[in-house]
Amino acid sequence: MGRKVCLIRGDGIGPEIVDAVLRVFAAARVDLDWVELEAGLACVEQGRPLVPEETLAALAEVGVGLKAPMTTPIGKGSVSPNVTLRKRLDLYACVRPIRSLRGIPTLFPDTDLVIFRENTEDLYGQVEYMATPTVAYTLKIISQTGCERICRAAFDYARANGRRKVTAVHKANIMKISDGLFLRTFQRIAEEYPEIEANDMIVDAQCMHLVTRWREYDVLVTENLYGDILSDLCAGMVGGLGVAPGANIGTKCAIFEAVHGSAPPLAGLNKANPTALLLSATMMLGHLGEMDKKAAIEGALEATLARGIKTGDLGGDASTSGFADAIASELRG
Ligand code: NAD
């Protein structure tokens, strides 16, 4: 029996794209012991919390998981199960690799970036109030500890994955105190990694460079809001939501998931693109040290796309399961 890994099937298109990933993993003979956990709408329907305590405990104990998207229930005061997982497990690093894939036409060939977005601080603390009846405040909270750990995560990743350069993205020319703290911390941490080139960019200039000089960038590390915007920009550069993988990583646990949500209009139609979840799952294999399996699956995925087998979001007519079967056939040779 292989290493234990948690699995959350999610809802909407979640179960279909999970099935596709499991089909591909079986063809690649990936040896994992899946521990299925419950969370999301199905739990609410049974009168249980969106993310039950036993699910959180299992994720913390096993330490790694693959998660399909989950719908945020509609209604006042509803919280997102995804945000709950990030907060309760302190998954402070949102990691999003952005790579152009063979078979997916793009204006930005040879894109190969990884964005490290701080996941817990900045303007996302939801500390907002009306300072006067006509003036609204939102607090931007940046801590030295928060900056240290996201910068260290980016440099550790660069070192472990043979990446040459880490760029800090900020607006310290205007927010000299909060973004200044982020930038100074980045520069101090960078000294611990002398073999990796470190530089920094103002966020607006970074946006322009991403669409004009994208090949010059490698790993980007940034605060929560800039990371949110940059990662969608970059996902669009290489084919959109259907192909954008990600991970949320903390001290206790790493959860791998697609950037997209549960896409309710596509649910149950066998039309969703499983690529983003599959690439999230191969990121997980990399995290587990299974580099050969990761490379084999990613190679089979790209070979399938290059043969023109694609789901509807990429202009093709393959079904979710048909696309997975085509990748599985590539793997079986
Ligand atoms: P979404 O990402 O689910 O879908 C937006 C649109 O993008 C879809 O209608 C579809 O046209 C397309 N799309 C997304 N994924 C696709 C795929 N794999 N293949 C083909 N097309 C795809 O965003 P949304 O509609 O804003 O959110 C739906 C639900 O998902 C909401 O309840 C939201 O809260 C939740 N959500 C969950 C996560 C998560 O689980 N991590 C992330 C984002 C949104």
Side-chain angles (χ1 to χ4, degrees):
M1 195 61 90
R3 191 199 192 287
K4 267 192 185 177
V5 170
C6 297
L7 177 67
I8 297 178
R9 286 183 187 262
D11 47 62
I13 59 170
E16 299 159 59
I17 57 175
V18 165
D19 280 349
V21 169
L22 296 181
R23 231 177 251 234
V24 172
F25 268 41
R29 299 181 187 280
V30 177
D31 186 20
L32 293 175
D33 178 11
W34 296 103
V35 179
E36 290 223 21
L37 302 176
E38 289 179 319
L41 291 181
C43 292
V44 178
E45 278 156 18
Q46 296 160 11
R48 300 163 66 204
L50 259 178
V51 185
E53 287 301 321
E54 51 274 29
T55 293
L56 289 162
L59 283 163
E61 191 201 321
V62 173
V64 59
L66 180 68
K67 175 188 149 306
M70 293 191 279
T71 306
T72 304
I74 298 167
K76 202 164 177 282
S78 287
V79 287
S80 149
N82 310 298
V83 173
T84 305
L85 281 169
R86 276 171 222 166
K87 282 197 173 156
R88 290 287 307 274
L89 295 167
D90 194 22
L91 304 174
Y92 64 87
C94 176
V95 185
R96 296 198 170 156
I98 317 286
R99 194 163 65 82
S100 44
L101 297 168
R102 254 190 316 137
I104 301 185
T106 166
L107 294 172
F108 309 97
D110 312 317
T111 300
D112 187 8
L113 303 162
V114 185
I115 298 176
F116 275 73
R117 164 189 172 192
E118 205 290 324
N119 232 353
T120 61
E121 302 194 329
D122 197 359
L123 289 157
Y124 289 63
Q126 293 174 331
V127 185
E128 291 194 295
Y129 54 93
M130 297 300 293
T132 73
T134 54
V135 179
Y137 280 16
T138 299
L139 290 191
K140 168 163 172 145
I141 298 158
I142 301 290
S143 74
Q144 184 172 310
T145 310
C147 297
E148 276 174 2
R149 61 184 189 172
I150 192 68
C151 291
R152 204 162 261 126
F155 279 105
D156 284 343
Y157 176 92
R159 182 175 272 173
N161 292 279
R163 296 276 180 165
R164 64 194 153 82
K165 174 168 153 186
V166 180
T167 304
V169 185
H170 61 87
K171 191 78 182 173
N173 55 329
I174 301 295
M175 283 163 278
K176 294 182 195 313
I177 296 183
S178 55
D179 283 22
L181 175 61
F182 174 76
L183 179 57
R184 282 196 310 280
T185 308
F186 170 81
Q187 288 163 339
R188 179 165 50 77
I189 301 286
E191 288 173 11
E192 296 171 24
Y193 302 82
E195 78 282 17
I196 296 165
E197 186 188 341
N199 71 344
D200 69 276
M201 283 289 289
I202 306 285
V203 62
D204 37 342
Q206 183 69 72
C207 288
M208 186 185 67
H209 276 205
L210 280 171
V211 295
T212 52
R213 300 157 62 166
W214 62 95
R215 291 186 184 87
E216 290 175 23
Y217 294 91
D218 194 350
V219 176
L220 306 179
V221 60
T222 191
E223 296 163 16
N224 208 340
L225 178 64
Y226 310 142
D228 194 359
I229 298 167
L230 287 177
S231 46
D232 271 33
L233 169 74
C234 290
M237 288 168 63
V238 297
L241 278 178
V243 300
N248 289 299
I249 299 180
T251 40
K252 289 184 230 155
C253 184
I255 298 184
F256 295 81
E257 61 176 327
V259 172
H260 64 72
S262 58
L266 292 178
L269 299 180
N270 196 21
K271 284 186 175 169
N273 188 349
T275 301
L277 189 68
L278 182 60
L279 288 174
S280 309
T282 59
M283 267 179 93
M284 183 181 77
L285 290 178
H287 179 81
L288 297 173
E290 296 275 355
M291 295 305 178
D292 291 349
K293 298 283 186 201
K294 172 176 162 45
I297 294 172
E298 290 177 359
L301 166 69
E302 287 197 67
T304 304
L305 291 167
R307 282 170 52 210
I309 302 175
K310 297 174 194 176
T311 45
D313 58 313
L314 298 176
D317 59 4
S319 63
T320 309
S321 54
F323 184 62
D325 286 341
I327 302 169
S329 309
E330 283 288 338
L331 282 161
R332 293 196 191 97

